[in-house]
Amino acid sequence: MPKSQQQAIISAPKSISYADIKTSISRDLNSIGDENPIIRKKSLQRLYNSLFVEHLIGEEEYDELFNDICKPILKRFIDPVEKCRELAHSICLKFFNNCQNFVPILGYYFPALMQQIPSGIGYDSDMKIFISDMAAHEAYKRGKAVDRQDRGGTAGILTHQVVELSEEIRFLSCKALVSLINRVIVLQCSPILHPYFQEIVMYLQTQLKDPFPDLKVIACEALESIAKVSDFETGMKFFSVGLVRALLPVLRHRHAKVRLAAVSALHFCMVVPDRAKRKASGSEAICDLVGFREENVLQVAAFYKSDVQINYLAELVLDKSIQVRERLVSFLSVLLTEIGDRYDHQTRIIPYLLDFLTDEAPSVAELALNCLLTCGRQYEDEHPDEVIERRQYGIDGDSRINLDKPLPPPFKERPRIGVRLYMRGNSKRFLHALVGELTNWVSNTRLKSAQLLKMVVVLCEEHLTMEANTLFPAFIKALRFAREDKDEELKKVLLEVLELFGRYVVPEVSVFYILPRLRGDVEVVQFGVDSETRIAVMEMLRALLEGARPQLVTPHFAELVSTLTDPFIISPDSPSLQVAAMQSLCTVFAAVKGRSNAVVEAHFVTTGRITSLQTSLRTVLRFLLINLSRPELNAQACRCLEVLSQLQSDPHPGWSGVEHVFEQHAVCLLENLLNDNIDNEEELWQSSEDLSLLTRLVDAPGSPLQHHSVSLQRLLDLLCSGISTSISREGDSEAPLLLAMELLQGTLLPVLHSILPLRSGSVLQPLLKSFSAAQLSQGRHLVVLAGKEVVYSQRGVQLEVAAATSVVEVLRLSMSKVMESFLLAGTWSRSAALQTARLGLARLLSGLCCPSSLSHTCSCGRGSPNNNTSGQGLGPSQPFAEGLLEEFLNQHAVQVLAAVAATAAAPSNPLALRRSFVCFATQILNRVAASVSNDKDARSDVLKMKSFRRCRLDAINKMEINNNGEVEMEEVNKFDASIYQKRVEVASTLRTLLSMLSDSSDEVRIAVLDAICAASYLLGSDSNQTSSSLVEYEDVLTGLLGELRTEIMTEDTNKEIPIVIDSDDDDVTNNDNNEEEEYANMSEVAHRLDHSLRCLCVLDPIRCDEVIRKEMAIFLQSDEVALQTRQALRYKRMLNELISHADLLSELEK
């Protein structure tokens, strides 16, 4: 046999008779009373082994044996040696597990057990509390300022006196008692413990105060076991209130397993039935559980020290352990559905059950919902008269409430009628206290109150309408508190509550209450309303309207709009107030979307009068347009405008919603604005709101002014008169002038865009090329104009011919006044900003630019001067001058150029302004020169000049000899006269450009050369009248060559220029990139000089050849050393190339 099996056989307990076991333990039994602690310990150990490890006897033998040896064993409970006491309790525990007859030993066991707890323990049956210090309790009853003993430690440190110092022995002692109780219950002989029931309760409640967690747990389990047994019902009924109060401090233990055991014990101790009174015997302690105290009751001790009332149930609702919360829900379910006196405590317990509906654990929320459904079914069974009529007649709440939206979790459907009636009868008592907690100083309390209120609203529905007069002020106060405290989470939950509230409280009630408080009516708000309160009121209004049924909002549309756009209510000085108002307007528009006719019908039903929606819409549009000009409000105003555009149920085909709104109302708003200021236009220019409105009307999508020539005429007159007033005040700032210029450009730009490209097909055909399909699908296009955003809407309709003709006529009549006020007045020369603004308008009126080029800069690229410098992207594909205003623009273009050139060319002006002016001059001169040339498609200046000379030769060929034999030079004279007239018109501009050839910027000088090349057409006539101009032109070019020679000859000879020289001076080449960049500007100047000389070659090749040879002679007279430098060689090569080019042109000309 294996050794392990032999050991197992040896260690297995052996059956033995009672006589034999008694003989074997007799010596050890006598030794346990020995004075030597070692002998007592060994004897107890051998006794334990002999009785329960080595031998096996029957239950009857254990009963008889325990009866014989219990006395010496129980005496060891107070042995001074800890190990001896432990063994004695272990032996008792084993006997309780194996015996059946405990009657003989109970009289000895309980006295020994009670010695393990402090003396003086008692129970006050009147106050129903356990007492540990009788003297202190008597003092409390006499009114001394001491705590009630069951509340000790709630406001300070809890102290507990123990007799047994070892935690393990105290735990073992309590475990033995629990084993005895469970054994008695199993054997169904519970009455044998009745004489000792008080000792059992006293001992167990003492262990509830023990600091050892495991001991608390086993004590709670013992109380739970006793409370479940009906034989102990009488005793438990007597002690149940005291036991519940003793268990309350255990509910706050830091260990979840202790709290779980305490909740379970509390459950069964409280629900012990009092059959005579048909109630739960421990329900009296529910007030202690929830920390309730009557308002008119005050303890004497409260006058001398803090009096703390702890809401244990509220703390358990927030317990971190899901198991504890699930057990607590089960406990509350029993209190609400099973105990006889549940009606007395429903209003105290229901708030905590509702709080569990918002629990983050779905299992807990589901248990709470099931409990609530059970309560509803019980209510239906107990109140059939209230339910049966509602079901039979199908009347289940107000027909106007909104039941279409989903409910918050855990509700999956509308609560049954019994649940709603049950809640309506029990919510009034705690509702106002709950709402008051929304402004509690503890953030978590505020949040839990808001979440609980959400459940109350779902369950009470329209029943809360009767509480609206008290709930609305509390909601406003709570929203303002959350805003000031920056508690975004609370604010979010409050808005959800109000949205639910709005589903069940019709707008007729909420609007009637809110609008007077928003307006600050004296009858309602005696001392007025501040901005923060108004913001809170509008946030509440928005949430309520979001929850209401849309068709119920329509009767109040006009009143809501007029209030939310009233400047005396919605102060322009408060951006937050403006944002809140626009958010509320968005909600109103969303509710009325597609119901514009319903608004009119509802107004007729309410007042008996027929009204139009247009007045309200214009009021809103005016409010939004003013806010569009403010950066902090622009985004919200745009969103509100988009929602407003969807209000119409039948917009015009092919039009976007926003454009349709502006087409309907923009001109009317403009007319109203002009009429309001017709007597005193200065007020318009001094009002920031009116100016903002005017700016946005000018920038209106769809350009409604293009259809209304009268409004366009009035607007242009207003701008001209306003600028004249500002000019007359020399001390005024530049801001009014710049604003007027901006308004004028914004007025003219969309009109010109809409009218001039009519011949090319679609009005917006050029615009479509610059946008992606995604942008076009939105129906909006953005153009940057002078730092502001202009919106153009996509439309497929063309302007009518009559409308276009009328608008063109207005432009013709107003253009002279515009030019006089905005271009020719000397005030625009006061600063660079004013000059830049004037230049932008000049380019626009001259028809030489697209919208994208109306910025303050202009590009000047290399190559031909006829490069398109008007920018790419938005704008018509054809120049403006080729449209309907071609004659007028050509007539005034030179005059505009002369006015701008008077000051724009000053060296003190910014580089960007000078550069833009030169580009503008180049474009105008090109236009003037092109008017006398038939070849408008020629790309280069040389080809255009040859075409010009052919025109003059054609005029010469048409000469005829009259009857007198004289040559008729009428055609030639007409041609020369037109050239002379054009030259006279641009003479001042040419002189200004020639003066700019000495500008400090190479870039400007290059651009000036481009402009001079454009003017070369007017200098090449064979008429003697042009000789002086050619001489002046020759002198300028000679001077430029001299300057270039001086620059080259004075450069540092150590620097090498990247050139390729003639074969006579070979071996000189340099490709250094850094030096190439360093001399790039000078190379560009040389390139432009070459271009100008070529133009002169076309005009007069012989004169050009003389100029170059003269310059070469001067160059060759330089010092021989200087002539050998790389710079000099490069200059020599350039002159040689120019001579070759001039010779070639001379041959071609011949």
Side-chain angles (χ1 to χ4, degrees):
M1 181 179 296
K3 184 176 181 179
S4 58
Q5 295 183 5
Q6 293 179 1
Q7 293 177 352
I9 294 175
I10 294 175
S11 60
K14 300 178 180 179
S15 300
I16 190 173
S17 63
Y18 172 75
D20 293 338
I21 190 63
K22 190 171 183 180
T23 302
S24 64
I25 65 173
S26 58
R27 181 176 178 181
D28 293 328
L29 192 60
N30 294 329
S31 300
I32 61 176
D34 195 279
E35 296 180 356
N36 192 338
I38 298 176
I39 295 176
R40 295 199 306 273
K41 183 178 67 173
K42 292 182 178 181
S43 298
L44 287 169
Q45 185 66 54
R46 287 195 297 269
L47 185 61
Y48 179 84
N49 293 334
S50 298
L51 291 174
F52 307 110
V53 179
E54 298 175 356
H55 302 97
L56 180 65
I57 60 178
E59 292 181 352
E60 296 180 357
E61 287 80 2
Y62 274 124
D63 292 340
E64 187 176 355
L65 184 60
F66 192 28
N67 186 24
D68 292 340
I69 68 172
C70 67
K71 294 179 181 180
I73 297 297
L74 295 175
K75 290 179 180 180
R76 294 303 98 203
F77 280 9
I78 57 174
D79 194 285
V81 179
E82 181 179 337
K83 185 62 177 178
C84 295
R85 299 196 302 274
E86 180 183 354
L87 289 170
H89 285 289
S90 299
I91 291 172
C92 288
L93 175 61
K94 286 293 184 178
F95 271 118
F96 289 150
N97 289 333
N98 292 281
C99 294
Q100 292 183 344
N101 184 14
F102 303 102
V103 176
I105 55 94
L106 293 180
Y108 304 102
Y109 173 72
F110 280 104
L113 180 67
M114 296 304 291
Q115 291 180 357
Q116 306 298 308
I117 61 176
S119 59
I121 302 295
Y123 181 73
D124 188 337
S125 59
D126 295 333
M127 299 184 66
K128 296 183 180 180
I129 60 174
F130 288 98
I131 303 166
S132 58
D133 187 349
M134 187 60 67
H137 180 63
E138 292 296 331
Y140 172 80
K141 294 175 68 175
R142 291 194 302 269
K144 189 175 181 179
V146 295
D147 289 328
R148 202 175 77 181
Q149 292 194 23
D150 65 319
R151 296 177 180 173
T154 55
I157 300 176
L158 177 63
T159 59
H160 175 62
Q161 181 183 0
V162 295
V163 176
E164 174 58 60
L165 301 179
S166 174
E167 290 181 343
E168 290 78 7
I169 297 177
R170 296 200 303 273
F171 174 76
L172 197 58
S173 174
C174 187
K175 189 176 181 180
L177 176 61
V178 174
S179 179
L180 171 63
I181 295 172
N182 292 334
R183 184 68 173 170
V184 168
I185 295 173
V186 171
L187 296 175
Q188 299 181 356
C189 55
S190 302
I192 66 172
L193 295 179
H194 285 178
Y196 312 101
F197 189 79
Q198 182 173 356
E199 285 79 3
I200 295 174
V201 172
M202 293 294 179
Y203 181 84
L204 291 176
Q205 71 86 20
T206 303
Q207 307 312 311
L208 294 176
K209 302 176 183 178
D210 197 283
F212 188 38
D214 293 341
L215 184 55
K216 290 177 181 289
V217 172
I218 198 171
C220 292
E221 292 175 353
L223 290 173
E224 180 181 347
S225 301
I226 294 174
K228 290 179 179 179
V229 180
S230 59
D231 290 336
F232 298 137
E233 187 176 294
T234 303
M236 285 298 297
K237 181 176 64 176
F238 182 78
F239 290 107
S240 60
V241 176
L243 287 173
V244 170
R245 288 172 173 169
L247 283 165
L248 293 181
V250 187
L251 297 175
R252 309 183 72 195
H253 198 275
R254 65 179 182 276
H255 290 174
K257 65 175 183 179
V258 178
R259 299 194 300 273
L260 183 63
V263 171
S264 184
L266 184 73
H267 171 192
F268 291 99
C269 290
M270 184 175 289
V271 300
V272 173
D274 187 347
R275 302 186 187 278
K277 298 181 179 180
R278 298 181 62 83
K279 62 186 289 288
S281 59
S283 60
E284 183 181 339
I286 291 179
C287 295
D288 299 85
L289 177 64
V290 299
F292 174 77
R293 182 175 62 189
E294 296 182 6
E295 296 180 357
N296 58 345
V297 175
L298 187 64
Q299 301 294 335
V300 176
F303 290 98
Y304 305 98
K305 57 188 297 186
S306 59
D307 187 20
V308 180
Q309 293 288 335
I310 298 177
N311 192 336
Y312 298 96
L313 192 55
E315 290 183 349
L316 288 175
V317 169
L318 301 176
D319 198 285
K320 296 181 180 179
S321 173
I322 297 179
Q323 291 78 8
V324 174
R325 299 201 301 273
E326 289 177 347
R327 185 67 58 86
L328 183 61
V329 173
S330 301
F331 170 46
L332 296 181
S333 300
V334 173
L335 295 182
L336 290 172
T337 59
E338 296 182 9
I339 64 175
D341 57 338
R342 59 181 180 272
Y343 301 104
D344 298 336
H345 308 287
Q346 284 175 347
T347 54
R348 293 193 181 101
I349 299 174
I350 285 177
Y352 303 99
L353 181 66
L354 296 180
D355 205 357
F356 279 121
L357 292 175
T358 64
D359 196 279
E360 59 184 8
S363 59
V364 178
E366 191 66 26
L367 287 174
L369 183 60
N370 292 335
C371 172
L372 201 59
L373 295 176
T374 303
C375 294
R377 284 191 291 268
Q378 286 185 349
Y379 188 89
E380 293 174 8
D381 296 337
E382 295 169 359
H383 303 81
D385 295 339
E386 294 185 34
V387 179
I388 190 170
E389 291 184 357
R390 297 172 183 266
R391 288 181 173 171
Q392 287 180 347
Y393 293 103
I395 302 175
D396 191 7
D398 194 338
S399 60
R400 296 173 296 175
I401 63 177
N402 189 358
L403 300 176
D404 300 332
K405 294 185 177 182
L407 296 173
F411 297 103
K412 299 178 181 177
E413 58 183 3
R414 187 186 184 191
R416 59 186 300 156
I417 186 172
V419 174
R420 289 181 272 122
L421 294 175
Y422 176 77
M423 280 302 306
R424 292 175 185 179
N426 293 285
S427 61
K428 186 175 181 61
R429 182 171 181 179
F430 65 84
L431 181 61
H432 295 290
L434 176 62
V435 173
E437 291 298 319
L438 293 175
T439 54
N440 192 284
W441 65 278
V442 181
S443 60
N444 193 36
T445 303
R446 298 195 299 264
L447 182 60
K448 294 297 292 184
S449 300
Q451 293 173 344
L452 176 56
L453 188 60
K454 187 193 302 185
M455 300 295 105
V456 174
V457 173
V458 173
L459 294 169
C460 292
E461 294 186 351
E462 75 276 9
H463 181 74
L464 293 176
T465 303
M466 66 177 65
E467 306 294 337
N469 62 325
T470 56
L471 293 179
F472 282 157
F475 287 146
I476 296 173
K477 183 179 178 181
L479 280 172
R480 178 169 181 176
F481 186 90
R483 178 180 175 84
E484 293 176 350
D485 202 38
K486 298 181 180 179
D487 192 343
E488 295 298 330
E489 189 174 6
L490 173 62
K491 181 180 177 181
K492 178 182 177 182
V493 178
L494 284 174
L495 293 178
E496 293 175 358
V497 172
L498 289 170
E499 191 272 336
L500 287 170
F501 200 81
R503 299 185 190 183
Y504 308 114
V505 179
V506 294
E508 182 180 353
V509 176
S510 57
V511 172
F512 176 79
Y513 179 89
I514 291 176
L515 289 188
R517 283 156 180 79
L518 183 58
R519 294 191 294 260
D521 295 349
V522 180
E523 299 82 0
V524 179
V525 186
Q526 184 176 1
F527 300 103
V529 185
D530 60 346
S531 296
E532 290 298 325
T533 302
R534 281 196 169 106
I535 292 174
V537 171
M538 284 189 287
E539 288 178 343
M540 184 176 73
L541 175 64
R542 176 166 56 89
L544 291 172
L545 294 180
E546 286 177 353
R549 298 179 67 178
Q551 55 266 35
L552 299 179
V553 181
T554 52
H556 311 281
F557 178 79
E559 186 178 9
L560 288 169
V561 166
S562 62
T563 303
L564 293 173
T565 56
D566 191 340
F568 295 100
I569 300 173
I570 312 301
S571 174
D573 298 332
S574 176
S576 301
L577 193 61
Q578 299 275 344
V579 170
M582 287 187 286
Q583 290 175 345
S584 300
L585 285 172
C586 287
T587 304
V588 175
F589 297 154
V592 188
K593 178 181 178 181
R595 296 183 175 87
S596 56
N597 296 331
V599 174
V600 179
E601 294 174 2
H603 186 272
F604 177 77
V605 172
T606 304
T607 62
R609 298 179 180 180
I610 298 177
T611 185
S612 174
L613 194 63
Q614 306 303 320
T615 303
S616 299
L617 293 182
R618 288 169 189 166
T619 303
V620 176
L621 184 59
R622 184 182 190 280
F623 176 76
L624 296 178
L625 291 179
I626 293 174
N627 289 332
L628 279 172
S629 301
R630 303 177 64 177
E632 67 274 16
L633 303 177
N634 183 272
Q636 183 61 45
C638 289
R639 286 194 292 269
C640 192
L641 189 58
E642 290 179 0
V643 179
L644 175 65
S645 66
Q646 302 170 3
L647 191 62
Q648 297 286 346
S649 57
D650 51 349
H652 192 282
W655 292 54
S656 66
V658 175
E659 186 177 1
H660 187 58
V661 170
F662 277 94
E663 181 66 25
Q664 284 188 319
H665 307 292
V667 176
C668 293
L669 287 176
L670 179 61
E671 289 291 335
N672 293 337
L673 180 63
L674 297 177
N675 292 333
D676 292 341
N677 298 274
I678 191 172
D679 296 329
N680 191 355
E681 295 182 355
E682 292 187 7
E683 294 183 359
L684 173 65
W685 296 101
Q686 295 174 0
S687 173
S688 59
E689 289 189 3
D690 290 345
L691 289 177
S692 300
L693 177 61
L694 181 59
T695 303
R696 288 305 172 185
L697 290 175
V698 166
D699 298 337
S703 306
L705 288 176
Q706 65 185 358
H707 300 283
H708 302 83
S709 57
V710 176
S711 299
L712 178 61
Q713 179 69 59
R714 294 188 63 186
L715 179 57
L716 292 176
D717 293 342
L718 173 68
L719 295 176
C720 292
S721 62
I723 204 65
S724 300
T725 304
S726 298
I727 291 174
S728 62
R729 299 175 180 175
E730 297 181 357
D732 286 357
S733 63
E734 299 176 0
L737 298 174
L738 293 175
L739 177 60
M741 180 67 76
E742 181 182 350
L743 289 173
L744 181 62
Q745 290 187 3
T747 303
L748 296 178
L749 175 63
V751 174
L752 294 177
H753 265 282
S754 302
I755 295 174
L756 299 180
L758 278 177
R759 296 180 302 171
S760 60
S762 174
V763 175
L764 296 179
Q765 183 64 32
L767 297 178
L768 305 182
K769 299 178 181 179
S770 303
F771 291 93
S772 63
Q775 291 172 309
L776 290 176
S777 63
Q778 299 175 0
R780 296 191 305 277
H781 310 301
L782 304 180
V783 179
V784 177
L785 173 60
K788 65 179 182 178
E789 190 177 83
V790 183
V791 181
Y792 291 97
S793 299
Q794 177 186 0
R795 295 185 304 153
V797 297
Q798 296 283 347
L799 272 177
E800 297 180 359
V801 177
T805 305
S806 177
V807 174
V808 170
E809 187 62 27
V810 168
L811 292 177
R812 293 179 185 275
L813 296 176
S814 303
M815 198 57 62
S816 58
K817 186 184 298 185
V818 169
M819 291 179 57
E820 180 180 354
S821 300
F822 288 88
L823 294 177
L824 305 182
T827 306
W828 295 99
S829 305
R830 292 192 310 193
S831 67
L834 294 176
Q835 293 185 56
T836 303
R838 179 172 63 174
L839 179 60
L841 178 62
R843 299 185 67 192
L844 177 63
L845 292 179
S846 301
L848 295 174
C849 59
C850 301
S852 58
S853 65
L854 287 179
S855 58
H856 296 167
T857 61
C858 183
S859 60
C860 299
R862 290 185 58 178
S864 173
N866 277 334
N867 285 343
N868 183 14
T869 60
S870 61
Q872 305 234 347
L874 303 182
S877 57
Q878 299 295 330
F880 283 175
E882 296 181 7
L884 300 178
L885 297 179
E886 178 179 3
E887 179 182 354
F888 179 83
L889 293 178
N890 286 337
Q891 180 181 356
H892 293 86
V894 178
Q895 185 180 4
V896 171
L897 176 61
V900 173
T903 55
S908 58
N909 284 332
L911 174 63
L913 175 59
R914 304 198 308 272
R915 186 172 62 243
S916 298
F917 161 71
V918 175
C919 293
F920 175 57
T922 303
Q923 292 173 315
I924 293 296
L925 293 175
N926 272 324
R927 171 185 292 175
V928 173
S931 63
V932 296
S933 175
N934 293 330
D935 191 2
K936 296 184 180 180
D937 296 329
R939 296 300 178 185
S940 68
D941 292 313
V942 173
L943 293 177
K944 286 184 177 181
M945 282 185 285
K946 290 184 177 182
S947 175
F948 162 75
R949 290 181 62 81
R950 282 198 300 271
C951 292
R952 190 172 188 279
L953 291 177
D954 292 339
I956 293 174
N957 293 331
K958 294 179 182 179
M959 291 188 305
E960 298 178 357
I961 300 176
N962 58 17
N963 297 331
N964 299 326
E966 298 176 350
V967 179
E968 294 286 347
M969 299 185 62
E970 181 179 359
E971 294 295 331
V972 177
N973 292 334
K974 288 182 179 180
F975 185 83
D976 290 343
S978 63
I979 295 299
Y980 177 74
Q981 180 63 32
K982 298 293 183 182
R983 182 173 57 79
V984 171
E985 291 176 356
V986 300
S988 61
T989 302
L990 284 175
R991 284 194 293 271
T992 303
L993 290 173
L994 291 173
S995 66
M996 294 184 70
L997 287 172
S998 60
D999 195 277
S1000 59
S1001 171
D1002 290 339
E1003 187 177 359
V1004 173
R1005 296 203 303 272
I1006 294 170
V1008 169
L1009 289 173
D1010 285 338
I1012 292 175
C1013 289
S1016 300
Y1017 301 77
L1018 308 177
L1019 305 178
S1021 173
D1022 291 340
S1023 173
N1024 295 328
Q1025 296 171 337
T1026 64
S1027 59
S1028 59
S1029 299
L1030 281 175
V1031 172
E1032 185 178 5
Y1033 191 24
E1034 172 190 341
D1035 294 340
V1036 169
L1037 295 181
T1038 303
L1040 284 174
L1041 287 171
E1043 290 181 10
L1044 182 61
R1045 169 172 43 79
T1046 304
E1047 280 187 35
I1048 294 176
M1049 300 302 293
T1050 55
E1051 288 291 333
D1052 186 359
T1053 56
N1054 294 325
K1055 295 183 179 179
E1056 296 183 355
I1057 303 178
I1059 58 173
V1060 179
I1061 62 176
D1062 293 335
S1063 58
D1064 295 339
D1065 301 306
D1066 52 357
D1067 303 330
V1068 184
T1069 305
N1070 191 336
N1071 296 319
D1072 191 340
N1073 293 332
N1074 294 331
E1075 294 181 355
E1076 182 178 355
E1077 294 178 359
E1078 182 177 354
Y1079 289 94
N1081 288 336
M1082 188 178 66
S1083 175
E1084 189 70 23
V1085 173
H1087 175 79
R1088 296 296 178 176
L1089 274 174
D1090 172 52
H1091 186 77
S1092 300
L1093 287 171
R1094 291 178 185 180
C1095 293
L1096 183 60
C1097 288
V1098 175
L1099 298 173
D1100 195 340
I1102 299 175
R1103 187 185 298 273
C1104 180
D1105 186 66
E1106 292 177 355
V1107 169
I1108 297 174
R1109 296 183 184 278
K1110 181 179 178 180
E1111 175 62 25
M1112 178 63 78
I1114 298 174
F1115 171 72
L1116 294 177
Q1117 294 175 2
S1118 301
D1119 183 72
E1120 293 184 2
V1121 177
L1123 290 175
Q1124 299 303 320
T1125 60
R1126 297 178 182 275
Q1127 294 88 340
L1129 294 176
R1130 180 178 181 276
Y1131 188 66
K1132 174 184 174 183
R1133 176 188 174 92
M1134 184 188 73
L1135 292 177
N1136 288 331
E1137 290 179 351
L1138 290 177
I1139 293 173
S1140 301
H1141 188 70
D1143 294 340
L1144 178 61
L1145 290 175
S1146 299
E1147 295 297 328
L1148 291 175
E1149 185 67 16
K1150 294 178 181 179

